Amino acid sequence: MSTQITALEKVVSLYRLIGCPRVENGTFTAEIEVTPELKCAMSNCDELSISYGEFDELLKNNSVDISSPSEISEGDTIKLKWKIATNGSVLFFNSYADLLENHKSVFRGENLDQFYIAQDNVLSTEDGENSRLATLTSVVNLISLLSKIAHYHDEKTKEDVFRLVFILTEKDTHKPYVLKTLFQEIDLSIGAIDLSTLNELVEAQDENYAHSSEKLGIFRFALANVISQCPPSDNEFSYLLKHWSELLTEYKASFDIYISGFSFNKVRTELAKAEIELASSLSKVMNDITGKLFGIPISLVALISMLKLESILENLVLVFGTLLFSLIVSGLVKNQLLLRKSINIGADLTFSTYKVEKASYPSDLKSCLKNSEKTFKAQSRFLLLGLWSARVIVWLVTFIAVYIFTEKFGDSGHLWKEFISFFNYLSNF
């Protein structure tokens, strides 16, 4: 490879020193005064194997036919004709059209190592910007990348180009579109193709990144859609090159819609999960105290018993019993109220997190968020009502017990006699 590159550079150096003349029928000719640089360049080319090209004519001072550049001296006038090799050893082309005609491998995404375009005086490996060279490189790379993401290659016919098949699926119908990777010199005037998106897709496919298959499917769809709009008389690949920026715009828009839908479904799922967890937390608050509240009916039975018992001491025990029950249940209810408050704070944080992006949500997700928050608040209010009702009822039982006791034993002297009688009873033991 290094010999080939060196040979091309020698030929290009000679060509440039003689003023880049017109290339006709695979040869270039010049009549020029010999300089040290020119003599050196001619000697370098003369040393090349005939497979890299040869001097077809060397004439010194318009009269002497010579066989080697060694026979010329500085200041001589030399007429030379160089015959360019046509066997592919040196990739010296008159124009891009010449390149496309003689090296069709570019239509299958194969880059050339080094070549020279006389028309533009461009050597592919030299530094510097050249629009058509950059376009050619990007188009060849584009073909290579497209060949990696096509649904399949149509190899029924042997051609110098790829026949890449992309399938457009709509309403349960599948329509294949064949893209022949054939382009012309005129297509190189459109400017370099932006391959960053396609490179990312191929890399994502190779590394199996998240959403890689979805991205690829969306890109294939957008590409097939662009091809489908090509007029019958136009070349599909040329049409694709001209509308490449539109393809990227369509792909990015479609992918944004997909990601939005994916994100919204994720938010919807998370929201539903959060709603269930919050509802479970509220339910647990009530369930934890439900067993204790079963004591309320028993305390009501105690109130009925007070109406039947005549002993002041027995009634007093029942009063203290209901008081103790009220204190215990009231304390438990207060603890559950504090727990409910913590759950409400957590719920506010949860809903506020989703509300940050609410403006970008679709209407059904906004409605879902609103209903979830509304449902939670209703459940929380119902729990608050239930807890406070339990608290009021247990204290009401105590108040009723005290009321019954004072109504039955309002005479304080009678109450004192009962205590003395109870004390004497205990002293007999």
Side-chain angles (χ1 to χ4, degrees), residues 7-8 11-12 14-15 18 21-29 48-57 81-95 98 102-103 116-119:
L8 177 60
V11 174
V12 169
L14 173 64
Y15 180 73
I18 63 175
R22 181 179 179 84
V23 179
E24 294 181 347
N25 299 320
T27 63
F28 55 81
T29 305
L48 294 175
S49 166
I50 193 172
S51 62
Y52 297 118
E54 61 179 331
F55 284 109
D56 194 42
E57 180 182 69
K81 179 185 291 186
W82 179 265
K83 186 176 182 180
I84 301 169
T86 57
N87 58 4
S89 297
V90 174
L91 302 182
F92 189 108
F93 304 107
N94 185 41
S95 63
D98 186 21
N102 292 282
H103 277 271
Y116 179 75
I117 304 296
Q119 192 177 64

Side-chain angles (χ1 to χ4, degrees), residues 93 95-101 103-107 109-112 114-117 120 122 124 130-144 183-193 195 237 241:
F93 304 107
S95 63
Y96 286 101
D98 186 21
L99 183 153
L100 298 178
E101 176 65 27
H103 277 271
K104 298 184 183 298
S105 60
V106 294
F107 297 132
E110 298 177 15
N111 276 300
L112 303 179
Q114 186 185 46
F115 59 90
Y116 179 75
I117 304 296
D120 288 6
V122 171
S124 63
N130 182 274
S131 177
R132 293 208 291 179
L133 176 61
T135 303
L136 175 65
T137 303
S138 66
V139 170
V140 174
N141 290 333
L142 171 63
I143 293 172
S144 176
F183 60 96
Q184 299 174 342
E185 182 181 22
I186 192 173
D187 296 320
L188 302 180
S189 62
I190 63 174
I193 304 298
L195 300 178
F237 191 70
L241 295 178

